[in-house]
Amino acid sequence: MREPVELRRQRILSVVQSRGAVKVSVLAAELDVSVVTIRRDVEELTRVGRLRRGHGVARPVIDAPEPATVPAARAPEPAGDGAAVALVVPERHSYLYETLHGARTVLEEAGMRIALHIAPQSAGAERPLVERALADGARGLLIAPRWRHARSEELEYGWLAEAGVPTVLMERRPRPGSALHALDSVCSDHWYGTHLAVDHLVSLGHRRIVLAARDDSPTARTIRTAFAEIGAARPEVEDWSVVLSSPEAVPGPGPGSPVSEAPVSVPGGDGAAVDLAALLRERRATAAVLHGDVDALMLVQRLAESGVQVPRDCSVVAYDDVVAALGSTPLTAVAPPKAEIGRAAAELLLHRLAGAAGSIGPVRRTELLPSLKVRGSAQRLIPLEN
């Protein structure tokens, strides 16, 4: 699924603002696009005053000042020339880049130096990045592991529990009893976010609702499970079903990849585009919850091509609210507190770094509640006359 231009440019800004001058060739490799595309993006960002362009490099508009000396009560001085804090997020994940910006604000205000590492989609990509950051002197770690499989936390990420530095998981909730259960974490309450979406549609009179969601991330799986639970528990919901939002939105083959918790339908067959319009007709559904934003906008386009207009024929609530407002039909969306997650995670990490060996108090699990942004893609259902 092709990434929108604005999302790619936001990712470029994130990398350049975090690292300083970055080679165009490095940006192209990390973002998995051509050098020509990155050069064009940098030229446009320079034209509008958001970057400076050098010979083969992109630079921030204002060079980052040297970190100020930070009192020991807030954060320790970094060892050697290494970065004080390492931030690790998956590539092609605009949702988590907003979280990254929130964390960066807090850390820079505290005078901490930052090293941003963007993990490619290949299996095991995060571990060598973390090991390199620790070897360079990182004193703490903020990380959003990919966790493509429901059990990959235990199978592939147990090493995080032995990183040897204070570590905070961002937008990830460790499974009970897993190797990472005792790590600090800051996460959105996606059950509540799913409740907001369903409750909004029910309040508008919708009783037959479809969820089109991914199945290749912890957030996606939480939303799917919550939707199934809420749909089964609410007496107003007469029928609910789940479909993949994209044929590519499933975890790749690997150990510990169980069947999804919620029933799944994949209209269209192997590798075909998801036929949401057909599922709506089959289930006589009048509303849909769509995760995430890019998939949601593309599904709304496909609905229009099939003669289904939003919100006239189908009310829609998107989930993520990264670009939901930018569609030709601005989408009502559940908005997890992305930047606040990053800020809370960074504050918790600073709290750990300020203590002896980073071990002040019990492990903390913080949950922040999403909100609902109403934009008109969902409307009141008018009952058919008998």
Side-chain angles (χ1 to χ4, degrees):
M1 192 173 290
R2 190 173 182 179
E3 182 179 48
V5 173
E6 285 306 314
L7 293 186
R8 185 177 66 245
R9 290 176 180 173
Q10 184 60 48
R11 294 173 62 199
I12 293 171
L13 287 170
S14 299
V15 175
V16 173
Q17 290 168 0
S18 296
R19 301 185 196 173
V22 182
K23 291 183 178 179
V24 169
S25 58
V26 172
L27 288 168
E30 292 191 2
L31 275 65
D32 194 24
V33 295
S34 70
V35 171
V36 173
T37 297
I38 294 295
R39 187 178 296 120
R40 188 184 305 122
D41 288 339
V42 170
E43 289 175 353
E44 177 59 21
L45 290 168
T46 299
R47 186 186 69 79
V48 297
R50 304 185 72 184
L51 285 181
R52 291 186 297 147
R53 182 162 57 95
H55 182 66
V57 300
R59 303 177 186 277
V61 174
I62 301 176
D63 290 326
E66 288 299 314
T69 302
V70 181
R74 283 295 297 152
E77 186 70 18
D81 295 326
V85 172
L87 281 80
V88 182
V89 295
E91 69 169 333
R92 297 184 179 182
H93 209 308
S94 56
Y95 177 107
L96 287 171
Y97 292 140
E98 291 193 38
T99 300
L100 182 155
H101 281 302
R104 177 188 172 213
T105 299
V106 171
L107 294 171
E108 288 185 344
E109 287 177 354
M112 302 295 285
R113 286 177 288 167
I114 302 165
L116 172 63
H117 299 272
I118 300 177
Q121 298 187 45
S122 56
E126 289 118 324
R127 186 168 188 172
L129 294 179
V130 171
E131 291 175 345
R132 185 186 314 156
L134 296 179
D136 288 342
R139 301 287 298 277
L141 173 64
L142 292 174
I143 183 170
R146 191 175 297 278
W147 289 1
R148 288 179 61 85
H149 309 294
R151 291 185 59 239
S152 65
E153 174 191 337
E154 293 94 331
L155 298 173
E156 301 171 15
Y157 290 94
W159 54 269
L160 269 175
E162 301 175 356
V165 298
T167 299
V168 180
L169 302 175
M170 300 187 299
E171 203 59 292
R172 299 292 184 257
R173 177 69 69 238
R175 293 166 65 89
S178 73
L180 305 185
H181 194 132
L183 281 184
D184 288 317
S185 63
V186 180
C187 187
S188 299
D189 185 342
H190 293 300
W191 189 99
Y192 182 74
T194 307
H195 159 76
L196 287 177
V198 174
D199 191 64
H200 181 62
L201 293 170
V202 167
S203 73
L204 295 174
H206 298 280
R207 300 294 181 261
R208 308 179 74 85
I209 306 171
V210 168
L211 169 69
R214 307 185 68 85
D215 193 24
D216 56 357
S217 75
T219 297
R221 289 188 289 273
T222 300
I223 292 170
R224 294 163 68 86
T225 302
F227 182 82
E229 180 180 324
I230 293 167
R234 291 199 65 151
E236 307 99 319
V237 178
E238 297 174 5
D239 183 81
W240 63 271
S241 57
V242 178
V243 64
L244 288 172
S245 57
S246 164
E248 295 85 27
V250 294
S257 180
V259 176
S260 177
E261 295 88 338
V264 181
S265 171
V266 191
D270 185 25
V274 175
D275 192 346
L276 181 57
L279 181 65
L280 293 171
R281 288 191 294 268
E282 175 188 335
R283 308 298 294 223
R284 294 184 294 117
T286 60
V289 180
L290 307 180
H291 173 263
D293 277 10
V294 173
D295 288 345
L297 292 174
M298 296 187 72
L299 287 171
V300 168
Q301 291 173 12
R302 291 189 194 131
L303 286 175
E305 293 166 0
S306 300
V308 179
Q309 296 297 320
V310 174
R312 185 194 68 190
D313 305 314
C314 177
S315 289
V316 165
V317 176
Y319 200 106
D320 277 356
D321 200 36
V322 177
V323 293
L326 303 181
S328 56
T329 300
L331 302 181
T332 292
V334 175
K338 299 173 280 292
E340 289 80 1
I341 290 291
R343 284 193 283 268
E347 288 169 356
L348 178 52
L349 184 63
L350 289 174
H351 172 73
R352 295 300 184 199
L353 289 171
S359 58
I360 295 179
V363 171
R364 299 186 180 186
R365 289 190 167 189
T366 302
E367 281 193 333
L368 304 182
L369 271 59
S371 59
L372 184 72
K373 306 296 184 182
V374 177
R375 300 192 179 98
S377 62
Q379 67 180 21
R380 185 168 298 279
L381 181 66
I382 301 176
L384 297 175
E385 295 183 2
N386 293 326

